[in-house]
Amino acid sequence: MIPRDFPGNVYPFRFVVEKPPYSPGGFLIERYICPFQTKKGQHYIIQAEKYQHHIYVLKFYLKLHRYERDPEAKYAYQTNDGPAEAIRILNTCLAVMLQILKRDPLASGGFIGTPKPVEIEKKLINVQRFRIYSQLASDFFPPERWNHQHSPETNAYLLLNKAALAKSPNLLEEAQVMFQTLYPEFSTATTLRPVIPFAQIG
């Protein structure tokens, strides 16, 4: 189970339901907007997209970039407000996922670690954000309750709720087909596969 005090120090946020935009295949069912403000005055939005099969994809960005012409660019910006602030922002994202689990006990979660501009230029995979978010997923979502799948080539990670898997054994395959429809870069050559935990010595 997730610890009772999970995820720790978070910012207060609102939970607003929005009508979702069009998505290929009609997979996107609902969208939740969770705005909050940091102690340094930065306004952020956590965006939780609810897809078919009880799958939610979390994204966050600065509010001032919400209506960027390129919808993907807003996820790459950096504020460089320091590690303590970054941890509290990520904790707030985890708190949003907890809120979703209270609303939907069969919820599974996913994310993409957006590359920084320099990582895009160098066409890197397994980028820094993906590695950080993957570590958080490993730390806070125990394998007794969650099936961890990832694709470092596309910086994508999926946490499959084992309660949902018990009801829908083909959940991973259904998620794979859905994401290949939604994200052209998520080709059949870069399928999700199990995360192999590091061996502990001693």
Side-chain angles (χ1 to χ4, degrees):
M1 293 293 291
I2 296 174
R4 184 163 35 182
D5 61 349
F6 168 88
N9 196 16
V10 305
Y11 284 113
F13 60 87
R14 292 185 294 119
F15 203 89
V16 182
V17 180
E18 278 195 349
K19 183 178 179 181
Y22 166 80
S23 69
F27 292 113
L28 181 58
I29 297 172
E30 209 163 36
R31 184 165 70 180
Y32 309 119
I33 300 297
C34 306
F36 67 93
Q37 182 178 354
T38 70
K39 70 177 182 180
K40 293 190 175 183
Q42 299 275 24
H43 291 264
Y44 278 87
I45 290 176
I46 299 171
Q47 183 173 295
E49 298 171 345
K50 179 181 180 181
Y51 292 91
Q52 292 179 14
H53 316 300
H54 300 270
I55 293 174
Y56 297 76
V57 174
L58 267 64
K59 308 173 180 180
F60 71 96
Y61 50 88
L62 284 166
K63 183 179 179 181
L64 63 90
H65 298 310
R66 185 176 185 186
Y67 299 108
E68 289 275 334
R69 182 172 297 179
D70 178 356
E72 297 302 314
K74 59 178 173 280
Y75 306 117
Y77 287 104
Q78 290 180 269
T79 57
N80 297 316
D81 284 336
E85 190 78 315
I87 290 170
R88 192 168 181 181
I89 290 168
L90 292 174
N91 279 347
T92 306
C93 292
L94 294 172
V96 168
M97 187 63 196
L98 264 189
Q99 180 76 12
I100 289 169
L101 280 166
K102 290 178 182 177
R103 298 167 63 103
D104 183 358
L106 295 178
S108 296
F111 59 81
I112 293 176
T114 304
K116 301 175 185 178
V118 66
E119 293 170 326
I120 294 172
E121 290 175 13
K122 295 181 179 180
K123 299 182 180 179
L124 299 179
I125 63 171
N126 194 27
V127 298
Q128 184 183 44
R129 284 192 179 106
F130 174 74
R131 297 194 304 272
I132 292 171
Y133 302 167
S134 297
Q135 185 62 57
L136 284 173
S138 175
D139 289 345
F140 289 108
F141 294 87
E144 294 79 16
R145 188 175 173 185
W146 301 92
N147 181 308
H148 293 246
Q149 302 282 330
H150 70 168
S151 169
E153 297 85 359
T154 53
N155 301 302
Y157 201 106
L158 183 62
L159 286 158
L160 293 174
N161 189 326
K162 287 191 173 180
L165 275 169
K167 292 178 176 291
S168 303
N170 296 323
L171 182 57
L172 176 59
E173 291 76 13
E174 292 166 340
Q176 184 78 40
V177 170
M178 182 172 70
F179 288 129
Q180 287 170 357
T181 302
L182 293 167
Y183 301 101
E185 68 274 17
F186 206 85
S187 67
T188 54
T190 53
T191 54
L192 288 161
R193 54 193 182 274
V195 176
I196 300 174
F198 292 109
Q200 292 187 351
I201 302 173

